[in-house]
């Protein structure tokens, strides 16, 4: 029932948005959540820290997004000549944006290969940036926040119960399986 300038949007356009929201939201959110679960299982002190201070959950979500970088890359077309980090780019050049690389940039993130909720400024690009930002990023953050709040209410730890297995992909991905055991104190 969406309208633009008083006219209903085309069914094909609406269907495109439905597919984008349902698939992109599922893959990226589930990949990030499983990556956070792996970090919590590998770092019981991190689990205890966040369980004791729930105000860290938003930082846990942001660090999960940075660390996992579920969207691996996007291609873009340069619309004008530019110089980026000393590299000349010509109008019409195709550029591959590597989100995982940007989110592990040592010039931006101290100790980038460490999962840490103590980052004061976490300027990751897991949801893109500018006009190319993910339209569902607010829903994804909320979903992850609520899931983690519920998890910390119900369990006292996460333990690995097998080897994590990763998807073999170059676009959107993360863990294919993460065998865990949820720990509950009596």
């Amino acid at each position: 029932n969406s309208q633009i300038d008083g006219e209903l949007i085309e069914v094909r356009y609406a269907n495109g948005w439905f597919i984008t929201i349902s698939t992109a939201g599922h893959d990226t959110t589930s990949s990030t959540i499983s990556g956070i679960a792996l970090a919590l299982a590998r770092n019981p002190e991190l689990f205890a820290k966040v369980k004791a201070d729930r105000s860290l959950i938003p930082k846990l979500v942001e660090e999960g997004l940075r660390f996992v970088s579920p969207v691996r890359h996007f291609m873009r077309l340069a619309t004008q000549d530019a110089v980026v980090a000393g590299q000349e780019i010509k109008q019409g050049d195709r550029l591959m944006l590597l989100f995982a690389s940007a989110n592990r940039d040592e010039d931006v993130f101290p100790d980038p290969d460490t999962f840490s909720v103590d980052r004061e400024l976490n300027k990751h690009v897991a949801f893109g940036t500018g006009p190319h930002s993910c339209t569902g990023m607010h829903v994804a953050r909320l979903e992850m926040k609520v899931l983690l709040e519920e998890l910390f209410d119900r369990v006292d730890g996460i333990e690995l119960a097998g080897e994590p297995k990763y998807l073999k992909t170059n676009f959107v991905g993360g863990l294919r399986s993460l065998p865990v055991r949820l720990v509950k104190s009596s």
Side-chain angles (χ1 to χ4, degrees):
N1 294 325
S2 295
Q3 296 182 9
I4 298 175
D5 297 327
E7 298 289 324
L8 287 174
I9 63 172
E10 295 178 28
V11 170
R12 198 168 95 175
Y13 184 77
N15 287 342
W17 276 104
F18 172 76
I19 290 168
T20 298
I21 290 169
S22 61
T23 58
H26 172 266
D27 292 343
T28 55
T29 303
S30 63
S31 292
T32 302
I33 285 292
S34 60
I36 291 170
L38 178 59
L40 293 169
R42 287 185 170 158
N43 302 291
E45 66 285 347
L46 175 61
F47 190 100
K49 180 177 183 168
V50 178
K51 185 165 178 74
D53 181 0
R54 304 298 174 83
S55 71
L56 292 173
I57 290 175
K59 285 184 158 195
L60 182 63
V61 168
E62 295 306 314
E63 183 65 355
L65 288 161
R66 181 197 72 83
F67 198 81
V68 172
S69 297
V71 175
R72 305 296 190 220
H73 81 278
F74 261 106
M75 297 298 293
R76 294 288 182 244
L77 184 69
T79 59
Q80 62 188 30
D81 293 349
V83 176
V84 177
Q87 177 66 46
E88 190 174 318
I89 298 168
K90 296 287 187 192
Q91 179 180 356
D93 284 352
R94 291 180 49 83
L95 306 168
M96 178 182 275
L97 308 174
L98 298 169
F99 295 105
S101 178
N103 286 334
R104 299 285 178 103
D105 186 339
E106 294 169 343
D107 292 337
V108 178
F109 303 100
D111 200 12
D113 293 324
T114 298
F115 191 104
S116 174
V117 295
D118 296 323
R119 293 183 193 284
E120 286 307 312
L121 187 59
N122 193 340
K123 294 184 71 164
H124 66 77
V125 292
F127 287 126
T129 186
H132 297 287
S133 292
C134 172
T135 57
M137 67 182 162
H138 303 295
V139 172
R141 283 182 170 117
L142 180 62
E143 287 173 334
M144 288 185 271
K145 178 181 175 286
V146 169
L147 186 142
L148 290 165
E149 288 169 347
E150 295 298 321
L151 177 76
F152 284 109
D153 282 347
R154 289 171 168 74
V155 301
D156 297 313
I158 300 175
E159 297 174 348
L160 282 176
E163 282 300 311
K165 293 185 174 81
Y166 288 87
L167 291 168
K168 294 178 182 174
T169 178
N170 65 359
F171 182 50
V172 176
L175 288 156
R176 182 171 49 105
S177 69
L178 179 65
V180 296
R181 186 181 322 36
L182 302 177
V183 178
K184 180 70 179 156
S185 301
S186 309

